Amino acid sequence: MSKNPRDKIISLPNPHLRQRSKRVGVITHDIEQIVHDMISATLDWEDNRKHEVGVALAAPQIDTLLRIVVIREDFEDKKNRNFTILINPEITKYEGEKVEDYEGCLSIKDIYGKVPRYSKVRVKALDIHGKEFRFTAEGFLARVVQHEIDHTNGTVFIDHIKDATDAFYKLDDEGQLEPLNYDADIAANRLLW
């Protein structure tokens, strides 16, 4: 077995990314270890990327079909390597308008797309100690929460993109998004869908 944490991250076409996750019943040492593995995998992935930040990860992305999400506390400060842990997260209310913006995913290598998401959501979850908490997420945090909860429901961001033409991007050598050539880059990798 690989000792590299980022090697735990699975990617499409792995069928487990299309399955619904189970709720966590009791927070055991095994659950705590899964959370640790998720954070390690996210940070290791980030440490090996020139222009990207690992902002969040859902347990299905390390091939564990449980409703667990970790989200970075500060998206702007790469030195802050602390994460908020959401166990059994649920969106209790969608608010605001739907806004289209770029998303990428650790489980969909090097592909980005414009995805419509609500600009504000209300969320409830359990923390690592099993205590319920609620919060309101707006802007980028709302987008991240929706993206990660989608993973626990077997949905990936590309599922929200209806018109594939001119909808997908990749990072160039300078870290800027550039459109993918649909025929050459996307259709050739159709197995992702």
Side-chain angles (χ1 to χ4, degrees):
M1 180 153 178
S2 171
K3 297 201 187 267
N4 192 335
R6 80 175 166 277
D7 290 344
K8 290 184 177 222
I9 297 174
I10 62 172
S11 58
L12 286 178
N14 188 311
H16 293 167
L17 290 168
R18 299 294 194 180
Q19 293 180 290
R20 272 184 87 78
S21 295
K22 296 179 182 175
R23 291 179 63 80
V24 173
V26 178
I27 299 169
T28 62
H29 177 69
D30 289 343
I31 297 298
E32 292 172 354
Q33 185 61 51
I34 290 166
V35 168
H36 173 76
D37 291 348
M38 291 168 66
I39 292 170
S40 294
T42 305
L43 293 173
D44 188 66
W45 178 90
E46 175 186 288
D47 291 343
N48 287 279
R49 306 296 280 203
K50 186 175 180 181
H51 299 291
E52 297 158 298
V53 176
V55 297
L57 195 73
Q61 294 178 267
I62 62 161
D63 211 5
T64 303
L65 293 174
L66 292 172
R67 299 183 78 79
I68 304 171
V69 168
V70 297
I71 299 176
R72 193 179 208 121
E73 286 182 1
D74 187 339
F75 303 133
E76 303 297 320
D77 182 4
K78 283 182 85 165
K79 292 178 186 168
N80 182 340
R81 294 165 75 89
N82 296 318
F83 286 75
T84 299
I85 299 151
L86 307 176
I87 297 174
N88 300 331
E90 294 177 45
I91 295 173
T92 59
K93 188 172 184 180
Y94 294 90
E95 297 181 304
E97 59 186 333
K98 275 200 169 179
V99 177
E100 193 173 68
D101 205 351
Y102 297 103
E103 288 187 23
C105 181
L106 280 64
S107 292
I108 302 177
K109 188 174 176 4
D110 299 328
I111 294 178
Y112 299 81
K114 280 190 138 184
V115 180
R117 300 274 189 194
Y118 284 94
S119 60
K120 183 177 179 181
V121 291
R122 297 184 189 271
V123 183
K124 74 174 182 177
L126 300 178
D127 67 14
I128 194 65
H129 307 292
K131 183 177 179 185
E132 183 179 295
F133 68 104
R134 294 172 182 259
F135 65 98
T136 300
E138 296 185 61
F140 185 66
L141 177 58
R143 177 170 296 281
V144 170
V145 167
Q146 291 168 85
H147 178 113
E148 298 306 329
I149 290 177
D150 270 359
H151 274 300
T152 67
N153 292 319
T155 302
V156 292
F157 83 89
I158 59 174
D159 298 336
H160 294 288
I161 300 172
K162 303 304 179 207
D163 180 13
T165 309
D166 300 327
F168 294 99
Y169 301 81
K170 65 181 177 180
L171 285 183
D172 66 16
D173 293 338
E174 304 302 315
Q176 301 299 312
L177 289 171
E178 63 180 30
L180 286 175
N181 175 303
Y182 180 77
D183 293 326
D185 296 319
I186 299 297
N189 293 308
R190 200 64 188 163
L191 63 142
L192 291 178
W193 283 257

Short mmCIF file of all heavy atoms in Angstrom, two decimals, residues 8-35:
data_model
loop_
_atom_site.label_atom_id
_atom_site.label_comp_id
_atom_site.label_asym_id
_atom_site.label_seq_id
_atom_site.Cartn_x
_atom_site.Cartn_y
_atom_site.Cartn_z
N LYS A 8 -4.30 8.31 -1.92
CA LYS A 8 -5.60 7.83 -1.45
C LYS A 8 -6.75 8.46 -2.22
O LYS A 8 -7.86 7.96 -2.19
CB LYS A 8 -5.78 8.14 0.04
CG LYS A 8 -4.90 7.34 0.94
CD LYS A 8 -5.21 7.64 2.39
CE LYS A 8 -4.35 6.75 3.27
NZ LYS A 8 -5.07 6.20 4.38
N ILE A 9 -6.51 9.60 -2.87
CA ILE A 9 -7.58 10.30 -3.58
C ILE A 9 -7.89 9.56 -4.87
O ILE A 9 -7.02 9.36 -5.71
CB ILE A 9 -7.19 11.76 -3.86
CG1 ILE A 9 -6.99 12.51 -2.54
CG2 ILE A 9 -8.26 12.45 -4.71
CD1 ILE A 9 -6.46 13.93 -2.69
N ILE A 10 -9.15 9.14 -5.00
CA ILE A 10 -9.58 8.44 -6.21
C ILE A 10 -10.11 9.46 -7.21
O ILE A 10 -10.45 10.59 -6.85
CB ILE A 10 -10.64 7.36 -5.91
CG1 ILE A 10 -11.90 7.96 -5.32
CG2 ILE A 10 -10.04 6.29 -5.00
CD1 ILE A 10 -13.07 6.98 -5.17
N SER A 11 -10.17 9.07 -8.47
CA SER A 11 -10.68 9.98 -9.50
C SER A 11 -11.60 9.22 -10.44
O SER A 11 -11.61 7.99 -10.46
CB SER A 11 -9.52 10.64 -10.25
OG SER A 11 -8.69 9.65 -10.83
N LEU A 12 -12.37 9.99 -11.20
CA LEU A 12 -13.21 9.36 -12.21
C LEU A 12 -12.31 8.65 -13.21
O LEU A 12 -11.21 9.11 -13.46
CB LEU A 12 -14.05 10.43 -12.93
CG LEU A 12 -15.21 11.00 -12.13
CD1 LEU A 12 -15.91 12.08 -12.94
CD2 LEU A 12 -16.21 9.94 -11.70
N PRO A 13 -12.73 7.51 -13.71
CA PRO A 13 -14.08 6.93 -13.70
C PRO A 13 -14.37 5.97 -12.54
O PRO A 13 -15.27 5.14 -12.65
CB PRO A 13 -14.14 6.19 -15.03
CG PRO A 13 -12.74 5.71 -15.23
CD PRO A 13 -11.85 6.79 -14.66
N ASN A 14 -13.67 6.06 -11.41
CA ASN A 14 -13.94 5.17 -10.29
C ASN A 14 -15.43 5.25 -9.93
O ASN A 14 -15.94 6.33 -9.62
CB ASN A 14 -13.09 5.56 -9.09
CG ASN A 14 -13.18 4.56 -7.96
OD1 ASN A 14 -14.26 4.16 -7.55
ND2 ASN A 14 -12.02 4.17 -7.43
N PRO A 15 -16.16 4.12 -9.96
CA PRO A 15 -17.61 4.14 -9.75
C PRO A 15 -18.03 4.56 -8.34
O PRO A 15 -19.17 4.97 -8.14
CB PRO A 15 -18.04 2.70 -10.06
CG PRO A 15 -16.82 1.88 -9.85
CD PRO A 15 -15.66 2.76 -10.22
N HIS A 16 -17.12 4.50 -7.37
CA HIS A 16 -17.48 4.89 -6.01
C HIS A 16 -17.79 6.38 -5.90
O HIS A 16 -18.52 6.80 -5.00
CB HIS A 16 -16.39 4.49 -5.02
CG HIS A 16 -16.27 3.01 -4.88
ND1 HIS A 16 -15.20 2.41 -4.26
CD2 HIS A 16 -17.07 1.99 -5.29
CE1 HIS A 16 -15.35 1.10 -4.30
NE2 HIS A 16 -16.48 0.83 -4.92
N LEU A 17 -17.26 7.18 -6.83
CA LEU A 17 -17.58 8.61 -6.83
C LEU A 17 -19.02 8.88 -7.25
O LEU A 17 -19.51 9.99 -7.11
CB LEU A 17 -16.62 9.38 -7.73
CG LEU A 17 -15.19 9.48 -7.20
CD1 LEU A 17 -14.25 9.99 -8.28
CD2 LEU A 17 -15.13 10.38 -5.97
N ARG A 18 -19.69 7.86 -7.76
CA ARG A 18 -21.08 7.99 -8.21
C ARG A 18 -22.06 7.33 -7.24
O ARG A 18 -23.23 7.18 -7.56
CB ARG A 18 -21.24 7.36 -9.60
CG ARG A 18 -20.39 8.00 -10.68
CD ARG A 18 -20.84 9.39 -10.93
NE ARG A 18 -20.26 9.91 -12.16
CZ ARG A 18 -20.51 11.11 -12.61
NH1 ARG A 18 -21.31 11.91 -11.96
NH2 ARG A 18 -19.94 11.54 -13.72
N GLN A 19 -21.59 6.94 -6.05
CA GLN A 19 -22.45 6.27 -5.08
C GLN A 19 -22.77 7.20 -3.91
O GLN A 19 -21.94 8.03 -3.53
CB GLN A 19 -21.79 5.00 -4.56
CG GLN A 19 -21.65 3.92 -5.61
CD GLN A 19 -20.98 2.69 -5.05
OE1 GLN A 19 -19.79 2.69 -4.76
NE2 GLN A 19 -21.74 1.62 -4.91
N ARG A 20 -23.97 7.00 -3.33
CA ARG A 20 -24.35 7.75 -2.14
C ARG A 20 -23.60 7.22 -0.93
O ARG A 20 -23.42 6.01 -0.77
CB ARG A 20 -25.85 7.62 -1.88
CG ARG A 20 -26.69 8.64 -2.58
CD ARG A 20 -28.15 8.50 -2.19
NE ARG A 20 -28.50 9.23 -0.99
CZ ARG A 20 -28.69 10.54 -0.96
NH1 ARG A 20 -28.55 11.26 -2.04
NH2 ARG A 20 -29.03 11.12 0.17
N SER A 21 -23.21 8.12 -0.06
CA SER A 21 -22.51 7.74 1.16
C SER A 21 -23.49 7.48 2.30
O SER A 21 -24.61 7.99 2.30
CB SER A 21 -21.56 8.86 1.58
OG SER A 21 -20.56 9.03 0.61
N LYS A 22 -23.04 6.71 3.27
CA LYS A 22 -23.84 6.41 4.46
C LYS A 22 -23.59 7.45 5.54
O LYS A 22 -22.49 8.01 5.63
CB LYS A 22 -23.47 5.02 4.99
CG LYS A 22 -23.80 3.91 4.04
CD LYS A 22 -23.38 2.57 4.62
CE LYS A 22 -23.67 1.46 3.63
NZ LYS A 22 -23.18 0.17 4.09
N ARG A 23 -24.60 7.64 6.38
CA ARG A 23 -24.45 8.52 7.53
C ARG A 23 -23.51 7.87 8.55
O ARG A 23 -23.46 6.65 8.68
CB ARG A 23 -25.80 8.81 8.18
CG ARG A 23 -26.71 9.66 7.32
CD ARG A 23 -28.05 9.90 7.97
NE ARG A 23 -27.95 10.62 9.22
CZ ARG A 23 -27.80 11.94 9.33
NH1 ARG A 23 -27.74 12.69 8.25
NH2 ARG A 23 -27.72 12.51 10.52
N VAL A 24 -22.81 8.69 9.29
CA VAL A 24 -21.96 8.22 10.38
C VAL A 24 -22.85 8.07 11.61
O VAL A 24 -23.54 9.02 11.99
CB VAL A 24 -20.81 9.21 10.66
CG1 VAL A 24 -20.03 8.80 11.89
CG2 VAL A 24 -19.92 9.33 9.44
N GLY A 25 -22.84 6.87 12.21
CA GLY A 25 -23.66 6.64 13.39
C GLY A 25 -22.97 7.09 14.67
O GLY A 25 -23.48 7.90 15.43
N VAL A 26 -21.77 6.57 14.89
CA VAL A 26 -21.00 6.87 16.09
C VAL A 26 -19.61 7.33 15.65
O VAL A 26 -19.00 6.74 14.75
CB VAL A 26 -20.89 5.62 17.00
CG1 VAL A 26 -20.04 5.92 18.22
CG2 VAL A 26 -22.26 5.12 17.40
N ILE A 27 -19.11 8.37 16.29
CA ILE A 27 -17.77 8.87 15.95
C ILE A 27 -16.76 8.09 16.78
O ILE A 27 -16.60 8.30 17.98
CB ILE A 27 -17.68 10.39 16.18
CG1 ILE A 27 -18.70 11.08 15.27
CG2 ILE A 27 -16.27 10.88 15.91
CD1 ILE A 27 -18.90 12.53 15.57
N THR A 28 -16.09 7.18 16.11
CA THR A 28 -15.12 6.29 16.74
C THR A 28 -13.70 6.74 16.39
O THR A 28 -13.50 7.69 15.61
CB THR A 28 -15.32 4.86 16.21
OG1 THR A 28 -15.09 4.87 14.79
CG2 THR A 28 -16.74 4.36 16.50
N HIS A 29 -12.73 6.01 16.91
CA HIS A 29 -11.34 6.27 16.54
C HIS A 29 -11.15 6.09 15.03
O HIS A 29 -10.38 6.83 14.40
CB HIS A 29 -10.39 5.35 17.31
CG HIS A 29 -8.96 5.52 16.93
ND1 HIS A 29 -8.23 6.65 17.22
CD2 HIS A 29 -8.14 4.70 16.21
CE1 HIS A 29 -7.01 6.53 16.72
NE2 HIS A 29 -6.92 5.36 16.10
N ASP A 30 -11.84 5.11 14.43
CA ASP A 30 -11.74 4.89 12.98
C ASP A 30 -12.23 6.11 12.21
O ASP A 30 -11.64 6.48 11.18
CB ASP A 30 -12.54 3.66 12.56
CG ASP A 30 -11.89 2.36 13.01
OD1 ASP A 30 -10.69 2.37 13.37
OD2 ASP A 30 -12.59 1.33 13.03
N ILE A 31 -13.30 6.74 12.67
CA ILE A 31 -13.81 7.95 12.01
C ILE A 31 -12.79 9.08 12.15
O ILE A 31 -12.50 9.80 11.19
CB ILE A 31 -15.18 8.37 12.60
CG1 ILE A 31 -16.24 7.29 12.35
CG2 ILE A 31 -15.62 9.73 12.04
CD1 ILE A 31 -16.53 7.00 10.89
N GLU A 32 -12.21 9.22 13.32
CA GLU A 32 -11.18 10.24 13.53
C GLU A 32 -9.99 9.99 12.61
O GLU A 32 -9.41 10.94 12.07
CB GLU A 32 -10.73 10.25 15.00
CG GLU A 32 -11.81 10.74 15.94
CD GLU A 32 -11.43 10.58 17.41
OE1 GLU A 32 -10.37 9.98 17.71
OE2 GLU A 32 -12.22 11.04 18.27
N GLN A 33 -9.63 8.73 12.39
CA GLN A 33 -8.52 8.40 11.48
C GLN A 33 -8.87 8.76 10.04
O GLN A 33 -8.03 9.25 9.29
CB GLN A 33 -8.15 6.92 11.59
CG GLN A 33 -6.94 6.54 10.76
CD GLN A 33 -5.68 7.29 11.19
OE1 GLN A 33 -5.34 7.32 12.37
NE2 GLN A 33 -5.00 7.91 10.23
N ILE A 34 -10.12 8.53 9.64
CA ILE A 34 -10.56 8.90 8.29
C ILE A 34 -10.43 10.41 8.10
O ILE A 34 -9.92 10.87 7.07
CB ILE A 34 -12.01 8.43 8.04
CG1 ILE A 34 -12.05 6.90 7.94
CG2 ILE A 34 -12.60 9.08 6.79
CD1 ILE A 34 -13.44 6.30 8.03
N VAL A 35 -10.85 11.17 9.10
CA VAL A 35 -10.73 12.63 9.03
C VAL A 35 -9.26 13.03 8.89
O VAL A 35 -8.90 13.87 8.04
CB VAL A 35 -11.37 13.31 10.26
CG1 VAL A 35 -11.00 14.78 10.34
CG2 VAL A 35 -12.89 13.13 10.22
#
